[in-house]
Amino acid sequence: MPPVLTPETTRDIHIQHLSKSFEISSGLLFRVKGTLDAVKDVSVSVKEGDSLGIVGESGSGKTTLAKILAGFLQPDQGSVTFGPLDLLTIPRQDRAHVVQMVFQDPFSSLNPKLLLGTQLREAFKDKENVSDRASGLMMDVGLSSDFLKRYPHQLSGGQRQRFAIARALAASPKLLLADEPVSSLDLSVQAQIINLLNKLRRTKKFTQIVISHDLAVIANLCDHILVMKKGGLVEQGPTQQLLRSPADPYTQRLLNALPIL
Ligand SMILES: Nc1ncnc2c1ncn2[C@@H]1O[C@H](COP(=O)(O)OP(=O)(O)O)[C@@H](O)[C@H]1O
Ligand SMILES: [Mg+2]
């Protein structure tokens, strides 16, 4: 049965004690050498409609955490509740109407052989009036509906990311996961996509989790920040507070890496 979320349901997210390790194999016969704790006992809550940023250097476990939420990976331990729902027990297909993910490289997440219109129409759960709704959604992300007659390779990087966002929103997700959403884009285009995500969160009222190695991106998109290092939680707090007085030297280092504005 698809998950039941009525308009009255509060949809705060509570992630509790989430852990995931991978077996590391190497050498002859790929013998298992040990395990790597990609996500280690991470707990965090996100209020409905808020935007949480997860920041940390490469390899800190950010994508693994997102993949668990989206249903691409099973955790070893922990729970995730989304309002009344136990998110981890919702099958992938049904979960797509609760959680959608936008990836760093929109090219690899889009089907190169299908027209954008076909890909967008497929993403709607309810098929009524899909052509009009597809055009409307294109407008929402700043693209002309003429793009629906194009293939992914006929778009610029920024346009492709706009389309990837439209396709994610077609499923009417309550939670949008954006994993390095602007990392593959030029600086000026990064700013446009950041503005777009902020506008869409206001108008479409989804909860958002943004993942980035770049604290500047997170600061512009998020109300709260969680800092990760080697799978573990370093610190978390409201954006302004965390930027003003980071408690941990690791966060301080991420801050020092920012260009002076
Ligand atoms: N499928 C996998 N098998 C083995 N190790 C993995 C796998 N996915 C990720 N890892 C390892 O887990 C750690 C965290 O990876 P990831 O979540 O992608 O980090 P981040 O997104 O913060 O860069 C890294 O050391 C990575 O090499
Ligand atoms: Mg990653």
Side-chain angles (χ1 to χ4, degrees):
M1 216 179 63
V4 184
L5 279 176
T6 64
E8 303 81 50
T9 316
T10 319
R11 296 158 185 158
D12 294 348
I13 299 168
H14 299 288
I15 297 173
Q16 281 178 312
H17 305 294
L18 210 59
S19 295
K20 173 78 186 173
S21 60
F22 293 110
E23 288 185 344
I24 322 268
S25 54
S26 72
L28 279 176
L29 305 172
F30 294 100
R31 259 193 289 265
V32 174
K33 232 175 67 179
T35 57
L36 178 126
D37 296 324
V39 174
K40 257 188 306 199
D41 196 24
V42 170
S43 299
V44 62
S45 295
V46 195
K47 273 201 172 322
E48 178 174 6
D50 266 10
S51 177
L52 171 74
I54 303 181
V55 70
E57 60 198 6
S58 177
S60 53
K62 307 181 299 294
T63 295
T64 303
L65 181 60
K67 283 182 174 169
I68 293 170
L69 299 179
F72 298 120
L73 279 176
Q74 284 298 320
D76 301 327
Q77 267 172 43
S79 67
V80 182
T81 54
F82 189 75
L85 307 175
D86 177 355
L87 194 69
L88 300 179
T89 61
I90 302 174
R92 243 302 314 129
Q93 251 110 332
D94 295 331
R95 213 185 295 189
H97 297 288
V98 181
V99 184
Q100 276 286 323
M101 199 159 163
V102 171
F103 300 89
Q104 171 171 354
D105 175 12
F107 209 40
S108 61
S109 66
L110 300 176
N111 187 330
K113 295 192 185 129
L114 289 183
L115 288 171
L116 299 188
T118 310
Q119 304 195 43
L120 191 54
R121 286 190 295 271
E122 274 176 359
F124 287 105
K125 185 182 185 182
D126 136 34
K127 305 293 179 198
E128 206 174 302
N129 242 344
V130 274
S131 290
D132 287 349
R133 283 158 66 210
S135 299
L137 204 44
M138 291 295 273
M139 216 146 63
D140 291 342
V141 299
L143 292 175
S144 142
S145 52
D146 293 345
F147 282 94
L148 293 170
K149 295 181 205 121
R150 295 198 196 177
Y151 291 94
H153 74 269
Q154 295 172 310
L155 273 65
S156 70
Q159 289 167 340
R160 267 200 295 271
Q161 196 56 297
R162 284 176 191 271
F163 179 75
I165 292 167
R167 202 188 50 166
L169 295 181
S172 303
K174 309 295 175 282
L175 170 63
L176 186 72
L177 296 172
D179 189 356
E180 305 278 4
V182 299
S183 301
S184 67
L185 306 171
D186 294 341
L187 271 184
S188 62
V189 184
Q190 289 198 2
Q192 292 171 14
I193 298 293
I194 287 171
N195 289 339
L196 175 67
L197 283 171
N198 280 330
K199 183 195 88 176
L200 289 170
R201 184 163 63 96
R202 270 199 315 276
T203 53
K204 308 239 176 231
K205 302 192 186 311
F206 49 80
T207 305
Q208 182 174 255
I209 296 182
V210 184
I211 286 171
S212 181
H213 65 280
D214 185 341
L215 196 46
V217 169
I218 295 291
N220 279 299
L221 278 169
C222 304
D223 322 297
H224 281 77
I225 299 181
L226 179 150
V227 183
M228 281 181 80
K229 180 186 176 187
K230 293 185 178 159
L233 192 161
V234 173
E235 63 178 305
Q236 57 175 308
T239 300
Q240 290 311 320
Q241 184 187 318
L242 200 126
L243 294 180
R244 215 177 302 125
S245 45
D248 196 277
Y250 177 75
T251 313
Q252 186 67 56
R253 265 197 286 134
L254 292 175
L255 262 175
N256 290 342
L258 289 183
I260 296 163
L261 299 172

